[in-house]
Amino acid sequence: MSNRLDVIIFGASGYTGQYVIEEMARKGKQYGFKWGIAGRTVDKLKQVLQQASKFTGIENLDSTIDTITANVTNKQSLVDMCARTKVLINCVGPYRHYGEPVVQACLEARTHYIDISGEPQFLETIQLQYDSQAAERETIIVGSCGFDSLVADLGVETIRQECDQKNLDIAFIESFLSMKHAKTTGGLIHYATWESAVYGVSHAKELKNIRKQLFQQKLPYSKYKIDRRPIFKTALNGEPTWAIPFPGSDKSVVQRTQYFNYTQLNKKPIRFQPYLQISSLFAVIQILFFASIFSLLTKFKLGIQCLLKYPGLFSGGCVTHEGPTRAECEQASFKMTFVTHTENKQKLTHEFTGPDPGYLGTSKMLIACAVMLLKENDRLPVKGGVLTPGAAFGRTILMDYLEKEGFSMTRK
């Protein structure tokens, strides 16, 4: 591997890929990494590098960074791409449609793989089908390395380690996510994110059979429970707020980490429930209205076609093909509040905060995971396998790294 590049970013000309490249340019310069970008056409890749030079101030990226032609429909091009790097960052989604061939190519080339998928069906199918092969070939495969679902997974793992040091026995952890966005006329969410969500929800029924095969051992979770209604009002740090269950991949990713911790490391599993923090009952009603329509339409073909054709209409204007502007991303931020309940009925509160979760923050988290694979590989729990971010990087300096990049994890 000595002649390989350190990192290649595949899908570099996409919306999120632009931000990932800019972050890679900064870290490549800082650490002296050799890196490249890959996609279907070299001209587009050169344009993306020129844009990255403009926004990072790092000159001549289009002439100094390698560009590689690769296409998900051409298996050999994927294998050739993966054979040129130590770590492959995959930004091509929806992953249920385009992710598996890239994972296969990484395994053939013995190249470590990370992505930003928030699609449980894809993530769990890849673990079910390729974990043994990845272990045999000493290749690390880690999905969900962006906001979905690194924040929740790393947050729970950080709290577990803190409680272990203090001899506190965790029974249950809840998380409450709140986000701040600038006023926008261009939408908060890019269409590619919406597309992944549509296909993910429409195929959710597949998960039952996947999980039956994947989780064959029942975990001895604590019997400690909190009775919550689907919609409830609570107080966080003394401030009243509404909460509803968070529909993303956080719960499933954290559960996979707990399964790994118990079956591989003999650690007690932690029950976890994520929520979305809502400012008012009116906002709750708005969200549930659009969520109900979304859920209904994903159940049949014509409904799915409508969701994909009219994303703005069915998202209340939140989703556009253009996505938020750079200025809007720079004004956005998130806060995830973790409430930890111990077996002796203590309650601990932590806050994980950071920049724009969708794109700027996700790019920083994704590149951070690549840095861990290159710099902290000896601290990973296994040499190869399909892992979650918490299982893979929970024992590295990832949290310390992120705290230098505008994120923070604090005890309240």
Side-chain angles (χ1 to χ4, degrees):
M1 281 198 178
S2 58
N3 294 325
R4 294 189 180 198
L5 297 172
D6 293 303
V7 175
I8 287 178
I9 301 165
F10 180 47
S13 59
Y15 181 84
T16 305
Q18 178 70 60
Y19 291 112
V20 174
I21 287 170
E22 292 169 18
E23 186 62 22
M24 186 69 241
R26 298 183 188 99
K27 293 306 166 186
K29 182 177 181 180
Q30 178 180 340
Y31 290 103
F33 290 147
K34 297 178 295 180
W35 62 285
I37 65 174
R40 288 177 292 182
T41 59
V42 171
D43 287 345
K44 284 187 177 181
L45 297 176
K46 293 289 186 182
Q47 291 173 13
V48 171
L49 288 170
Q50 290 168 2
Q51 283 288 98
S53 286
K54 174 183 175 181
F55 288 108
T56 63
I58 302 172
E59 298 180 351
N60 303 318
L61 288 174
D62 60 330
S63 59
T64 58
I65 299 304
D66 287 21
T67 54
I68 299 106
T69 302
N71 194 317
V72 290
T73 62
N74 185 326
K75 178 181 177 180
Q76 191 57 51
S77 74
L78 296 178
V79 174
D80 292 344
M81 169 186 69
C82 293
R84 293 187 59 179
T85 186
K86 299 173 186 175
V87 176
L88 191 284
I89 296 176
N90 184 15
C91 296
V92 180
Y95 290 92
R96 69 173 293 112
H97 293 158
Y98 308 118
E100 188 171 358
V102 184
V103 172
Q104 292 172 335
C106 281
L107 289 170
E108 186 168 335
R110 294 179 185 263
T111 295
H112 301 316
Y113 167 101
I114 56 176
D115 68 33
I116 50 174
S117 172
E119 305 166 38
Q121 297 95 325
F122 169 77
L123 296 166
E124 295 176 29
T125 296
I126 293 300
Q127 182 173 343
L128 179 63
Q129 295 185 357
Y130 298 104
D131 182 55
S132 296
Q133 187 179 348
E136 180 183 337
R137 299 185 71 81
E138 296 189 350
T139 301
I140 298 293
I141 308 292
V142 189
S144 57
C145 291
F147 181 72
D148 290 333
S149 288
L150 185 142
V151 172
D153 205 20
L154 184 61
V156 170
E157 182 60 23
T158 300
I159 293 168
R160 186 192 65 76
Q161 292 179 16
E162 178 185 314
C163 288
D164 281 351
Q165 293 173 358
K166 297 179 179 180
N167 293 318
L168 292 174
D169 190 5
I170 298 174
F172 182 51
I173 296 180
E174 300 172 288
S175 70
F176 298 84
L177 172 65
S178 64
M179 292 179 282
K180 291 184 178 180
H181 296 283
K183 291 183 179 179
T184 174
T185 57
L188 299 173
I189 302 170
H190 188 265
Y191 177 79
T193 304
W194 174 262
E195 185 181 16
S196 294
V198 170
Y199 286 118
V201 175
S202 66
H203 292 273
K205 60 182 179 294
E206 299 170 5
L207 282 168
K208 184 177 180 180
N209 184 54
I210 295 170
R211 289 170 177 171
K212 185 177 180 180
Q213 299 176 70
L214 189 60
F215 306 122
Q216 296 186 5
Q217 187 171 348
K218 187 176 181 179
L219 299 189
Y221 284 114
S222 169
K223 294 181 180 180
Y224 183 104
K225 288 185 178 181
I226 298 177
D227 291 327
R228 299 284 199 196
R229 295 180 178 180
I231 305 168
F232 62 95
K233 195 170 185 180
T234 186
L236 296 174
N237 298 318
E239 296 292 327
T241 186
W242 289 89
I244 60 175
F246 182 65
S249 60
D250 287 0
K251 185 173 183 178
S252 64
V253 171
V254 172
Q255 285 178 332
R256 287 169 55 217
T257 301
Q258 301 313 307
Y259 193 85
F260 178 87
N261 284 345
Y262 179 73
T263 58
Q264 302 298 316
L265 305 178
N266 199 31
K267 297 286 186 181
K268 176 186 173 182
I270 297 169
R271 192 183 299 278
F272 172 71
Q273 177 60 55
Y275 296 100
L276 188 60
Q277 184 179 339
I278 311 295
S279 59
S280 68
L281 181 58
F282 178 71
V284 169
I285 294 170
Q286 283 183 306
I287 291 171
L288 293 180
F289 173 75
F290 284 104
S292 298
I293 294 174
F294 183 92
S295 178
L296 176 64
L297 292 178
T298 57
K299 297 185 186 302
F300 53 96
K301 186 176 180 180
L302 180 60
I304 292 171
Q305 291 173 347
C306 289
L307 288 171
L308 295 176
K309 189 173 182 179
Y310 305 107
L313 174 64
F314 292 108
S315 67
C318 290
V319 178
T320 64
H321 284 272
E322 297 77 23
T325 66
R326 185 176 294 267
E328 289 163 351
C329 287
E330 289 172 349
Q331 295 179 59
S333 62
F334 77 88
K335 178 173 68 176
M336 186 174 287
T337 303
F338 294 87
V339 179
T340 303
H341 306 267
T342 68
E343 294 286 7
N344 64 355
K345 304 199 183 305
Q346 290 188 54
K347 189 159 72 171
L348 314 176
T349 303
H350 294 77
E351 288 183 355
F352 197 144
T353 61
D356 163 53
Y359 306 103
L360 297 180
T362 279
S363 299
K364 288 180 178 293
M365 288 183 266
L366 183 60
I367 297 303
C369 291
V371 173
M372 294 303 107
L373 282 173
L374 293 166
K375 294 290 189 180
E376 295 271 301
N377 193 271
D378 59 336
R379 299 184 72 172
L380 271 60
V382 292
K383 292 184 178 180
V386 179
L387 306 173
T388 60
F393 307 122
R395 295 152 192 82
T396 68
I397 61 167
L398 178 56
M399 193 69 244
D400 294 334
Y401 175 104
L402 290 174
E403 287 181 344
K404 297 175 183 177
E405 298 297 322
F407 300 83
S408 70
M409 178 80 172
T410 57
R411 169 87 180 270
K412 305 305 288 186

